[in-house]
Amino acid sequence: MGGLNLEVFKFGMYVMFPIGIMYYFGTNLDERFSVPGFWPKPEQANKVPFDRDEIHAELERLRARRLYLRDKRLENEARNPPGPAPSSENGQDSKS
């Protein structure tokens, strides 16, 4: 069987393999794993309002958007009323 040299070699592999993998994937991360344009620019990101006036303006904007979408939905429902629900005779399915 193997001797002391084999055990030293195996121990070296057990120790050096994870260290080598961590070194390979841990160095030069910016160039190796970067995707250009992945993160949005600060001007494209949402801005949380902190000032009282900004909060009120944002609430008014959201309220106006909600009311616009509601009016649009009601107008669409008025133009296209839903049809009557299909009913079965005598409470039985039409399959039989």
Side-chain angles (χ1 to χ4, degrees):
M1 298 288 169
L4 181 63
N5 288 339
L6 179 62
E7 294 299 322
V8 170
F9 175 74
K10 286 191 331 187
F11 178 75
M13 286 300 292
Y14 293 150
V15 171
M16 293 307 292
F17 186 75
I19 292 173
I21 293 295
M22 286 187 285
Y23 178 77
Y24 175 76
F25 287 106
T27 57
N28 201 12
L29 291 176
D30 291 334
E31 292 178 14
R32 188 177 296 149
F33 298 110
S34 67
V35 178
F38 180 74
W39 297 107
K41 306 277 188 274
E43 58 271 3
Q44 295 172 337
N46 292 332
K47 296 179 182 173
V48 179
F50 291 109
D51 191 21
R52 183 181 178 101
D53 296 331
E54 292 175 352
I55 292 172
H56 285 296
E58 185 68 16
L59 285 174
E60 286 298 321
R61 185 188 69 82
L62 291 173
R63 185 176 294 122
R65 180 174 181 260
R66 180 178 51 88
L67 291 175
Y68 170 74
L69 291 174
R70 178 180 177 267
D71 291 340
K72 191 174 179 182
R73 179 180 50 87
L74 290 175
E75 180 183 317
N76 191 15
E77 287 177 0
R79 270 191 274 148
N80 303 324
S87 61
S88 59
E89 295 178 16
N90 298 333
Q92 297 177 353
D93 292 337
S94 61
K95 295 179 186 176
S96 54

